[in-house]
Amino acid sequence: MAQLHDTFDATGVAPATPLELLPPGRYPAQIVNSEMRATRTGTGQYLWLELDVIEGPHQGRKIWDQLNLVNPNQQTVEIAQRTLSAICHAVGQMQVSDSEQLHFRPLQVTLAVEPDSRDKHLPPHEQRKQNRVKGYAALGGAAPSRPTPSAAPAPRPATPPQARPAPPASATPPWRRAG
């Protein structure tokens, strides 16, 4: 039993409603909190990320991700490092020594809806669903650039550039335009 400091009147407070999953798709977001945490087994550490959706109908919703940067499984570490690299490229921070350098810098997060891994022993119709981060990119949808070793110059187009129609000018940023 817990004694409350005062009488709580539920009639004066709107009840909490369960949050629905975000639909699969791309969301403008920013990292607002991060920390290194120990894995459950104690054999590694992961970078825990908390992100906020920064515009659109789901503005203010939270997204979480974790990157296993210290792990006995080298493939797990490589996947986490590639994901961290995608985040760094998306926010324009190529050298990072503290995860706070990634905070409050807009980026695009691609989300999917998948079965909750904790329910894998249950039949599919009983499994809970969860949002899962599938990728990061710069706002506007550009994928992170990858350096290419001494790449040959791109072939010149057969049609002169002035003969091609110019794309329509728009004041709306690409990530706000309809699909």
Side-chain angles (χ1 to χ4, degrees):
M1 177 165 86
Q3 187 66 34
L4 302 178
H5 294 285
D6 201 2
T7 301
F8 178 74
D9 181 5
T11 61
V13 179
T17 58
L19 288 176
E20 297 298 320
L21 292 172
L22 289 170
R26 294 184 176 118
Y27 295 89
Q30 63 186 2
I31 298 169
V32 296
N33 197 4
S34 60
E35 62 186 55
M36 289 298 290
R37 294 181 174 178
T39 59
R40 271 182 273 154
T41 61
T43 60
Q45 292 181 317
Y46 60 91
L47 177 62
W48 172 83
L49 301 172
E50 177 183 348
L51 300 97
D52 282 345
V53 175
I54 56 174
E55 48 181 72
H58 301 288
Q59 183 174 354
R61 289 287 303 272
K62 299 284 187 189
I63 301 169
W64 294 272
D65 199 4
Q66 57 189 42
L67 313 178
N68 290 292
L69 294 170
V70 180
N71 194 290
N73 183 325
Q74 190 56 37
Q75 184 177 10
T76 299
V77 172
E78 289 170 5
I79 291 168
Q81 288 176 342
R82 286 194 302 269
T83 302
L84 182 56
S85 178
I87 294 169
C88 290
H89 279 83
V91 300
Q93 290 291 309
M94 296 303 120
Q95 296 181 349
V96 178
S97 58
D98 188 321
S99 61
E100 283 192 27
Q101 293 173 267
L102 305 172
H103 290 196
F104 305 106
R105 296 175 180 270
L107 50 77
Q108 178 177 276
V109 178
T110 301
L111 284 184
V113 175
E114 296 181 348
D116 189 324
S117 60
R118 295 169 290 190
D119 292 344
K120 61 185 170 192
H121 62 281
L122 297 174
H125 68 279
E126 292 182 26
Q127 292 179 353
R128 292 172 292 187
K129 302 287 185 198
Q130 67 180 6
N131 283 124
R132 173 102 45 201
V133 175
K134 289 302 198 176
Y136 295 92
L139 273 180
S145 60
R146 295 179 186 229
T148 55
S150 61
R156 298 194 64 108
T159 308
Q162 64 270 20
R164 283 187 254 155
S170 174
T172 304
W175 60 91
R176 290 190 182 150
R177 294 183 197 146

